[in-house]
Amino acid sequence: MSEVAKFACDGHELEFPVVEGSEKERAIDISQLRKQTGLITIDEGYVNTGSTRSAITFLNGEEGVLRYRGYAIEELAENCDFIEVAYLLIYGELPTQQQLDTFRSSIASHTKLQDGVPAFFDHFQKDAHPMSMLASVVSALATFNQDSLDPTDAAQIESSILSLMGNLPTVAAHGHSKITGAALNHADSELSYCENFLHMMFSKSGKEYKANPLFVKALNLLLIVHADHEQNCSTSTVRMVGSANANLYASIAAGVGALSGPSHGGANEAVVNMLYQIQADGGDVEKYVKKAKDKEDGFRLMGFGHRVYKNFDPRANIIKAACDELLEDLNLDDPLFDIAQRLAKVALEDEYFIKRNLYPNVDFYSGVIYRAMGIPVEMFTVLFAIGRLPGWISHWKEMHESPTMRICRPRQVYTGANSRQFASIDKRG
Ligand code: CMC
């Protein structure tokens, strides 16, 4: 007999099925709770709430395990390129050489933006944040692709996937050009995904540009480790918006908005700004660890802590090693990296951080790598978005392929005023 969880409430004994995932994670299925009792559950921040069943990414926060479609992140980071990982996430299996070649060339054929899209950038403010530009333009892409908006049509979904995968780096490069004033280079479909992105950002007209292979390798790695992270805030947003049958562009634009927050993807930018601040303030890392512990202060160590990882973030380990290697290969001595290392050491030995299981997360070191590549700090979260795109797509697609898909519509416990008499404006105050 399958396992049940028993509850007593209002004098009734209630039984709910316990469901088990393929990694033996267990959950109580409370979908009949309200029907049976009139009660709902409340779980602010969804700390204990499983919003869906998903076969894409497994993570175990206690043991620091992260796998995409069953493959360890360490193995994928070591052996794959980002497009291969994107294929794995979106279609469920590692591609054959032929599938990979076709996927790669289909994406490459969508790197040029449609006429009219680049003009959006003429109208943004020079100091606009690239994440705001990205969210706006991704949303606008729906108006240029009106023949691929039907979320129930497999061919249209496929077309929107390829257009987003191809367009996103180009849109990002336009944002870079807008904030730096650097000339924008047209996409080169002969180059790999990462090489092409660096070319669009950094080629100088009239000069031959060959992306530094160390940068290509580092970028590829960063995109892979960011590619998916199960039901995180932005992915849940993409699913939430998609559950209303909104098109893929609208859903991804909403995900970009969620990712921009400093508690989520925006942390990579916030980390480097924090390191600058510590540097400008004399480099006293103890002072900032003390500030982070002071509940009156409101300051948090950016790049520290994670909702799920309570031992270590496996992505941070991969990135820290890549960061060490890149700085050594480039013979760069970045003072911010030194501050980051000292800060991590002090925090990791501090009782406050130990007790709360706060460790450096994926965003703690990524900014140092982006800096070494010459990428401006405002662009860091945009790079996270390029990495996360296949994850968002795969979750949106999985949800639409599920026979049990329903609109996401949480309930609430109302705490406002009880029914009261309306007062006309002359009788108020
Ligand atoms: N610095 C100082 N104290 C912290 C920090 C921090 N970075 N993070 C958590 N805490 C404390 C928090 O004050 C609380 O203490 P207490 O129990 O005394 O009230 C305790 O640790 C638990 O924190 P929480 O806010 O309840 O944890 P959460 O799971 O709701 O938040 C988090 C997770 C990532 C938003 C949070 O750790 C944080 O704000 N970190 C800094 C921002 C950051 O680096 N975000 C990137 C996350 S990784 C990239 C991604 O996947 O999005």
Side-chain angles (χ1 to χ4, degrees), residues 97-243:
Q97 189 61 54
Q98 197 189 356
Q99 287 167 329
L100 182 59
D101 293 345
T102 308
F103 187 49
R104 217 188 278 288
S105 63
S106 307
I107 291 171
S109 69
H110 285 85
T111 44
K112 186 175 175 314
L113 301 180
Q114 284 136 296
D115 290 346
V117 179
F120 276 81
F121 289 89
D122 297 338
H123 302 283
F124 291 125
Q125 300 280 88
K126 166 97 180 62
D127 60 354
H129 196 284
M131 280 299 273
S132 305
M133 294 194 264
L134 187 69
S136 311
V137 175
V138 168
S139 186
L141 287 177
T143 67
F144 292 86
N145 293 282
Q146 298 194 48
D147 53 356
S148 64
L149 302 183
D150 182 351
T152 62
D153 180 317
Q156 293 197 31
I157 293 173
E158 186 59 18
S159 164
S160 58
I161 291 173
L162 296 174
S163 115
L164 275 162
M165 286 292 298
N167 278 190
L168 209 71
T170 315
V171 173
H174 270 84
H176 174 255
S177 158
K178 181 80 196 184
I179 59 164
T180 58
L184 179 84
N185 301 291
H186 291 298
D188 182 343
S189 57
E190 295 298 306
L191 298 175
S192 74
Y193 201 73
C194 291
E195 282 172 323
N196 176 49
F197 181 63
L198 294 171
H199 151 77
M200 286 191 289
M201 300 255 291
F202 298 123
S203 274
K204 301 257 180 309
S205 84
K207 288 198 185 147
E208 191 161 338
Y209 175 81
K210 171 100 185 70
N212 184 334
L214 296 173
F215 293 175
V216 177
K217 186 177 161 206
L219 180 58
N220 185 58
L221 182 80
L222 284 163
L223 297 183
I224 290 175
V225 298
H226 282 109
D228 193 42
H229 214 230
E230 49 118 300
Q231 310 308 321
N232 59 88
C233 178
S234 57
T235 302
S236 298
T237 303
V238 170
R239 277 187 178 259
M240 171 80 92
V241 174
S243 79

Side-chain angles (χ1 to χ4, degrees), residues 229 262-265 267 292 295 300-307 310 315 352-353 356 358 361-363 384:
H229 214 230
S263 298
H264 189 15
K295 297 288 176 200
R300 281 191 168 200
L301 272 196
M302 299 314 287
F304 255 77
H306 197 273
R307 169 62 60 80
K310 297 299 174 200
R315 305 167 301 171
Y352 172 98
F353 289 85
R356 290 170 180 75
L358 300 170
N361 59 47
V362 66
D363 287 327
F384 193 154

